[in-house]
Amino acid sequence: MSAISSINFKKSNAIQTRHNDRDLPPSYLISDIGCEVNRTHKEALKLRNEIIENAINAYNKNKSPKAPNFKAKSYEWSAVVNIKPDTTMQDLERLAKHFETKYGFQCYQIAIHRDEGYIENGEKHINHHAHLEFITLDKQTGKNMYRRELINPKILRQIQTEVAEILGMERGIDKRISKRERVEPRKYAQMKEAERKEQAKLKAEHKQELESKEAELKFKDTKLEQEKLSSKEIKAYIEQFRKDCTGKDLPKEFFRDISNLKKQAEPTTKEFLDDTLNSLLQNYLKEKEKNIELETKNKEIETEILSKQELEIEFQNIIKRHEAEIEKLKQQKSELEAKLKEFNLEQEQKEKSPAQIDLNFINKIENTRFMDNKDDIYSLYSTLGKYGLIDQQKYLETKLREPKISTPQDYIRDVKEKILSTIEQDKNKAIDTELNKLIQENKELREENAELIRQNNFYKSSRSNKNQQQQNKQSQQHGLSR
């Protein structure tokens, strides 16, 4: 059988570190060899003071303004650990590191003692053990980690198990069962002496006790055998349990298991049968709850997938509308180009406008004597007035009433210049008007096109993000189903 592990904490005292390194050796040592420490008492005390000072500073730094100043007192603890003959200092340093990592206990000295025990029939029996000295102030917060609400009986039992695992030893029997109290090493030898003196007496008493217990166990076995239900009673009991569970929406597998229990019925107690049936029921109820939860999650995921599909369809429709708008803009652009071409053709035709015709007429009569009288002049100006080239009425009221009129060549020259100027103005005005109109339409089309491209990119980006989220959800769903 492997060595039994044990760890026990007690308040440290002023000379504990000197006891550990044998600077103050006790009187009950049975050997001059067998003490190993990782630090002397002077080195240990120096490290202890540094740990305490750093913890106090950490507490004051991290505490809230309304919190009290550092006032912890019971933070120096000494732990005695049972060890194996081949336990090393490295094993114990690993144990100390575990206490610091999990519980916040900072170790400042470790001592291995192999010089204590007792002598029986001239043979030395070594009590292999170690001392670990702790400051139980947390390194980060400065709070005392050996408080009643943290280190309770449950945690202490857990610590016993952890020590056994780390040191590779067999865990001792729970104190609640063994009812044993730990004995200090210096009292251990005295107890062994007393134990030897009463060994014979205890042996006899033990024999008697064993005989009594054997009789008691036989009685209990007989009573237990009498309390067992018969196979027929068990089948009837299971059948009633099955009926009670009917209608509770339990799976077929549950009732199949119930039937198997019924077929395999063997004599047992009612208590054991109740435990078996209730455990089976609870397991299926838990499984049912998990299935309901998974179904709910699956429905939510399916709903979300449908919503995403609808959104995808909407995105596709929007993109189609945008593409149609782009095609429409392209068509409008083509129409504008056609209008521009038509406008250029109209400009070519303007050479045949009424003003141009009048100009040709004037060129024709310019070198003739056709306009030697007022009637010819009136006829010419009537024609010009018809097309809005001169103010006919005003001219007739002023010029034609003069007693003498200038030569026809003078009038023809004036009229020709006015016609040429009017033609050029009309042409330029028409070109500018149409060109400005085309520029404005082109600007509006460019703005609409840019806006449609921006919206199209936005919806493509949104669709990409939604697809990624859908893939993540499906991956999570796949993980849940597995």
Side-chain angles (χ1 to χ4, degrees):
M1 182 179 293
S2 59
I4 303 298
S5 71
S6 173
I7 184 169
N8 294 276
F9 288 87
K10 67 175 182 178
K11 295 288 185 64
S12 186
N13 56 55
I15 63 170
Q16 186 64 50
T17 55
R18 298 182 66 186
H19 166 83
N20 290 344
D21 69 356
R22 295 305 189 234
D23 184 62
L24 287 177
S27 59
Y28 49 82
L29 299 181
I30 63 173
S31 174
D32 295 334
I33 304 174
C35 175
E36 180 185 356
V37 293
N38 67 338
R39 292 181 186 87
T40 65
H41 72 278
K42 291 182 180 180
E43 295 170 340
L45 291 176
K46 180 180 178 181
L47 178 58
R48 180 198 66 178
N49 294 335
E50 290 178 359
I51 292 173
I52 294 172
E53 182 179 358
N54 292 337
I56 293 174
N57 291 336
Y59 176 84
N60 291 330
K61 180 180 179 181
N62 293 301
K63 76 179 185 68
S64 62
K66 295 183 179 181
N69 292 329
F70 183 85
K71 60 178 182 179
K73 295 180 180 180
S74 299
Y75 52 78
E76 295 187 43
W77 291 83
S78 180
V80 180
V81 184
N82 284 356
I83 61 175
K84 298 182 293 185
D86 59 351
T87 299
T88 65
M89 181 62 71
Q90 289 73 21
D91 296 332
L92 295 169
E93 287 175 344
R94 190 168 65 253
L95 178 62
K97 184 64 178 178
H98 169 75
F99 276 108
E100 180 176 352
T101 302
K102 186 167 184 178
Y103 300 103
F105 299 174
Q106 301 183 64
C107 183
Y108 60 89
Q109 187 188 42
I110 301 174
I112 298 176
H113 289 169
R114 305 188 193 279
D115 52 5
E116 300 179 35
Y118 65 94
I119 300 175
E120 184 177 20
N121 298 327
E123 183 181 355
K124 294 180 180 180
H125 297 270
I126 302 299
N127 176 20
H128 298 276
H129 65 279
H131 293 265
L132 282 75
E133 305 302 323
F134 290 104
I135 296 297
T136 59
L137 299 176
D138 185 74
K139 183 183 295 185
Q140 304 299 328
T141 64
K143 294 183 178 181
N144 187 5
M145 305 305 290
Y146 202 104
R147 305 195 304 274
R148 181 176 299 177
E149 61 270 25
L150 297 178
I151 308 301
N152 52 39
K154 181 180 179 181
I155 297 299
L156 289 174
R157 291 193 294 272
Q158 176 181 306
I159 288 174
Q160 294 288 354
T161 301
E162 293 168 352
V163 169
E165 292 175 352
I166 292 172
L167 297 181
M169 301 173 68
E170 181 181 349
R171 192 196 188 286
I173 300 175
D174 195 319
K175 182 180 177 180
R176 295 172 297 176
I177 300 173
S178 65
K179 307 298 182 182
R180 294 178 61 184
E181 297 292 336
R182 183 185 176 276
V183 180
E184 292 294 327
R186 60 179 174 270
K187 295 181 180 179
Y188 185 72
Q190 299 174 2
M191 291 180 59
K192 291 299 294 183
E193 183 66 24
E195 181 180 336
R196 285 194 300 273
K197 291 180 179 179
E198 295 190 8
Q199 186 174 9
K201 180 180 178 181
L202 290 175
K203 188 175 181 180
E205 292 178 353
H206 182 62
K207 183 178 180 181
Q208 182 179 0
E209 183 178 356
L210 285 176
E211 292 174 351
S212 176
K213 285 186 177 180
E214 287 178 359
E216 183 179 354
L217 287 174
K218 288 181 180 180
F219 175 76
K220 287 182 178 180
D221 289 342
T222 302
K223 184 178 180 181
L224 183 63
E225 195 67 30
Q226 293 174 352
E227 291 178 351
K228 286 184 178 180
L229 300 175
S230 65
S231 297
K232 183 177 180 180
E233 291 173 330
I234 291 174
K235 291 181 179 180
Y237 194 86
I238 293 176
E239 178 62 22
Q240 184 61 45
F241 181 82
R242 186 192 66 79
K243 292 180 179 179
D244 293 339
C245 294
T246 303
K248 293 184 179 180
D249 196 24
L250 290 166
K252 295 179 180 179
E253 291 78 7
F254 170 77
F255 294 100
R256 184 183 60 198
D257 291 345
I258 292 293
S259 298
N260 290 335
L261 284 176
K262 186 177 177 181
K263 292 176 182 178
Q264 300 170 3
E266 294 182 358
T268 186
T269 62
K270 181 178 178 298
E271 290 76 9
F272 181 81
L273 186 58
D274 281 334
D275 290 341
T276 302
L277 293 174
N278 288 327
S279 297
L280 182 64
L281 176 61
Q282 292 302 319
N283 289 336
Y284 275 100
L285 289 176
K286 289 179 181 179
E287 184 176 351
K288 178 183 175 182
E289 291 177 0
K290 289 182 180 179
N291 291 335
I292 293 174
E293 184 178 355
L294 285 174
E295 289 177 0
T296 303
K297 288 183 178 179
N298 288 335
K299 288 181 180 179
E300 293 176 355
I301 293 173
E302 290 174 358
T303 302
E304 186 175 355
I305 291 174
L306 290 175
S307 300
K308 288 181 178 179
Q309 290 175 347
E310 293 174 356
L311 184 61
E312 178 70 18
I313 293 173
E314 182 179 354
F315 283 161
Q316 293 294 339
N317 292 335
I318 291 173
I319 291 173
K320 289 180 180 178
R321 290 199 297 271
H322 287 176
E323 292 175 348
E325 290 291 337
I326 292 173
E327 290 297 325
K328 183 178 179 181
L329 289 173
K330 290 180 179 178
Q331 184 178 358
Q332 290 177 356
K333 181 180 177 182
S334 299
E335 292 175 355
L336 287 174
E337 291 175 348
K339 286 184 179 179
L340 182 60
K341 185 176 181 180
E342 182 180 352
F343 172 77
N344 293 332
L345 292 174
E346 289 177 356
Q347 294 305 313
E348 294 177 0
Q349 295 296 327
K350 279 195 174 182
E351 295 180 357
K352 300 180 181 180
S353 63
Q356 184 67 36
I357 293 173
D358 292 336
L359 180 62
N360 294 336
F361 172 74
I362 291 172
N363 289 333
K364 181 178 179 181
I365 68 173
E366 183 176 7
N367 297 320
T368 68
R369 303 297 297 172
F370 178 73
M371 299 180 65
D372 289 338
N373 55 65
K374 293 181 179 181
D375 293 336
D376 293 334
I377 295 172
Y378 177 79
S379 176
L380 173 63
Y381 277 83
S382 296
T383 302
L384 298 176
K386 178 180 178 181
Y387 296 108
L389 299 176
I390 63 171
D391 188 343
Q392 176 184 344
Q393 187 65 30
K394 182 178 179 179
Y395 183 84
L396 292 174
E397 290 177 357
T398 56
K399 298 294 181 180
L400 296 181
R401 291 177 185 177
E402 293 181 358
K404 190 174 181 178
I405 190 167
S406 301
T407 63
Q409 285 76 14
D410 295 334
Y411 288 109
I412 290 171
R413 183 179 64 251
D414 293 341
V415 171
K416 184 177 180 179
E417 290 177 355
K418 183 161 186 171
I419 290 172
L420 290 172
S421 175
T422 302
I423 290 173
E424 187 67 24
Q425 289 177 2
D426 288 347
K427 183 177 180 179
N428 292 338
K429 183 177 179 181
I431 291 173
D432 291 342
T433 300
E434 192 66 23
L435 184 60
N436 290 334
K437 181 179 178 183
L438 290 173
I439 290 173
Q440 182 62 29
E441 290 180 353
N442 189 39
K443 180 180 178 181
E444 292 175 356
L445 288 173
R446 287 176 178 273
E447 291 176 352
E448 290 182 15
N449 191 30
E451 177 64 19
L452 288 172
I453 291 173
R454 187 191 67 79
Q455 292 182 7
N456 192 24
N457 291 336
F458 169 77
Y459 285 116
K460 286 182 178 179
S461 176
S462 300
R463 181 177 60 182
S464 177
N465 292 335
K466 291 292 184 179
N467 288 338
Q468 185 62 39
Q469 293 178 2
Q470 180 178 351
Q471 291 176 1
N472 293 339
K473 286 286 187 179
Q474 290 175 349
S475 297
Q476 295 176 1
Q477 180 184 7
H478 181 66
L480 288 173
S481 64
R482 292 184 63 185

